Amino acid sequence: MAHSMHHPTVLEGHMASVASLREHLVEELNDLLNAEQQLIEALPMMAERASRRELKGAFRGHLAETRRHAQRAAQALKSLGEEASGKTCEAMKGLLEEGQELVGGAEPGALQDAMMITAAQKVEHYEIATYGTVRTYAQVLGEKQVAALMAETLKEEKAA
């Protein structure tokens, strides 16, 4: 029996999974960065369409926070030595389009406001899930700075 057959060692398997986990982390961060950028564009339009003053204020207030979140995602990529890919986050695009279709069919007023709140909550939940994933990946990989940045954003997303 020839011994030329190569059996991957546990260590090699581990290194491969670390590399792919890191790729996943970078991919998800790029996704979040683009998602936040899409939101930065959408929020002023949402504020514009809201009929209640409190809701207008909430959307405008969320804009500053969203800018911070985008900065943190960019900072996390930088701390990993990665460039932003500029790839579109299709999930966020879909959520925002769905929200616009929903809202577009309603007259301005209480119903449209309620629909906008629903759309905003879906976006929020998507972000909470994704930031949670990214924080976990960063923790597993020992990327403490990235984990800390994501934990901060996660706290704010949950408060929103």
Side-chain angles (χ1 to χ4, degrees):
M1 170 104 185
H3 287 288
S4 61
M5 239 177 78
H6 178 72
H7 294 288
T9 63
V10 172
L11 184 63
E12 281 168 340
H14 175 69
M15 281 162 67
S17 63
V18 164
S20 64
L21 188 58
R22 194 180 192 282
E23 273 165 37
H24 260 306
L25 173 62
V26 170
E27 234 166 77
E28 294 284 338
L29 278 169
N30 270 307
D31 223 42
L32 283 166
L33 178 57
N34 181 264
E36 298 291 13
Q37 286 164 340
Q38 288 185 49
L39 209 48
I40 287 166
E41 280 177 36
L43 281 166
M45 294 186 287
M46 289 166 94
E48 199 68 25
R49 296 188 79 151
S51 65
R52 289 212 334 275
R53 216 175 57 232
E54 308 85 36
L55 191 55
K56 278 185 188 293
F59 283 134
R60 291 208 182 95
H62 201 64
L63 188 58
E65 195 171 276
T66 304
R67 287 207 173 95
R68 267 207 312 281
H69 295 175
Q71 276 171 333
R72 271 191 215 128
Q75 205 181 329
L77 280 166
K78 210 192 207 147
S79 91
L80 291 166
E82 298 284 343
E83 293 279 308
S85 72
K87 202 167 117 270
T88 300
C89 172
E90 296 298 337
M92 179 61 84
K93 192 177 165 199
L95 285 171
L96 291 173
E97 278 171 4
E98 182 188 291
Q100 292 204 308
E101 268 170 42
L102 190 73
V103 172
E107 290 294 303
L111 178 62
Q112 196 187 56
D113 283 356
M115 286 175 171
M116 285 171 78
I117 291 166
T118 300
Q121 280 180 328
K122 282 189 184 184
V123 162
E124 226 43 79
H125 282 278
Y126 168 73
E127 292 203 309
I128 287 169
T130 313
Y131 276 111
T133 302
V134 166
R135 188 193 55 189
T136 303
Y137 286 171
Q139 283 168 337
V140 169
L141 289 167
E143 294 287 352
K144 292 189 175 63
Q145 194 190 355
V146 175
L149 285 166
M150 296 305 102
E152 231 170 301
T153 294
L154 205 49
K155 206 169 64 195
E156 294 175 354
E157 291 287 5
K158 284 179 177 166

